[in-house]
Amino acid sequence: MKAIGDAGGIMTSDDLKSYRATVRAPVRGSYRGYDIISMPQPSSGGVVLLETLNILEGFPMHDMKQGSAPSLHVMIEAMKRAYADRARYLGDPDFVKAPVATLTSKDYAAKQRASIDLDHATPWTMRSRRHRRMKAATPRIFRWWIILAMRSATPIR
């Protein structure tokens, strides 16, 4: 056997020959009448996307100017909650039993939405475990949303 790499152990060409990809069903949901089909775990993107959209669905986004402070506020607050749940619950389904059906449900989104204050950002100093995890996820959330906010503030011609 010829070694082709070393990542804490030696991977061989036989390892690659015997590898079988795992095919998983996509996560599915809806947003304002649109069917959303996205990546399943171990990618967390699909679950986070659906949870975020479900939270946002209860806000009058069409009445908010794209890129405005109110629209960005509710998007960021929805994402804070979705990313906190990602950090707390999601992982490789071969090793973690994640509550995907709960996280992507409309009822759960309604509870999450009810915790959003339209006039104030969720404080990072809250003492609950959930909010400590939200704080840990902040840099990734804001890097991504700052880029999107900048793009959305530019008029589409």
Side-chain angles (χ1 to χ4, degrees), residues 9-86:
I10 295 179
M11 183 183 296
T12 66
S13 57
D14 287 341
D15 292 327
L16 293 175
K17 287 177 188 172
S18 65
Y19 176 78
R20 298 292 174 253
T22 302
V23 177
R24 293 186 170 95
V27 292
R28 295 174 177 264
S30 65
Y31 177 73
R32 300 183 191 263
Y34 291 94
D35 292 322
I36 308 296
I37 302 170
S38 192
M39 289 293 295
Q41 290 183 287
S43 168
S44 60
V47 174
V48 169
L49 173 68
L50 289 174
E51 183 177 347
T52 302
L53 290 175
N54 285 340
I55 294 168
L56 291 175
E57 193 168 35
F59 290 106
M61 300 303 290
H62 55 281
D63 293 341
M64 298 179 192
K65 183 180 177 204
Q66 183 180 0
S68 68
S71 71
L72 292 174
H73 175 71
V74 295
M75 285 193 291
I76 290 167
E77 289 296 316
M79 296 223 25
K80 281 180 188 178
R81 286 149 179 80
Y83 275 96
D85 286 342
R86 172 187 178 259

Side-chain angles (χ1 to χ4, degrees), residues 2 8 25 34 62 64 70 80 82 90 100 104 109 119 134 136 138 141:
K2 182 179 174 187
Y34 291 94
H62 55 281
M64 298 179 192
K80 281 180 188 178
L90 299 180
V100 173
T104 59
D119 297 320
M134 283 171 46
T138 300
I141 293 170

Side-chain angles (χ1 to χ4, degrees), residues 85-147:
D85 286 342
R86 172 187 178 259
R88 182 172 184 187
Y89 297 114
L90 299 180
D92 186 333
D94 288 343
F95 304 98
V96 174
K97 177 96 172 113
V100 173
T102 299
L103 296 175
T104 59
S105 76
K106 303 289 186 180
D107 289 339
Y108 183 72
K111 291 175 187 170
Q112 293 284 59
R113 187 180 317 112
S115 72
I116 295 174
D117 182 338
L118 294 177
D119 297 320
H120 300 93
T122 302
W124 294 116
T125 57
M126 294 180 78
R127 300 286 183 230
S128 74
R129 177 185 303 163
R130 179 169 174 259
H131 286 92
R132 282 196 301 274
R133 289 177 186 201
M134 283 171 46
K135 185 175 181 180
T138 300
R140 277 178 270 153
I141 293 170
F142 285 114
R143 278 196 303 267
W144 194 65
W145 273 101
I146 287 169
I147 291 167

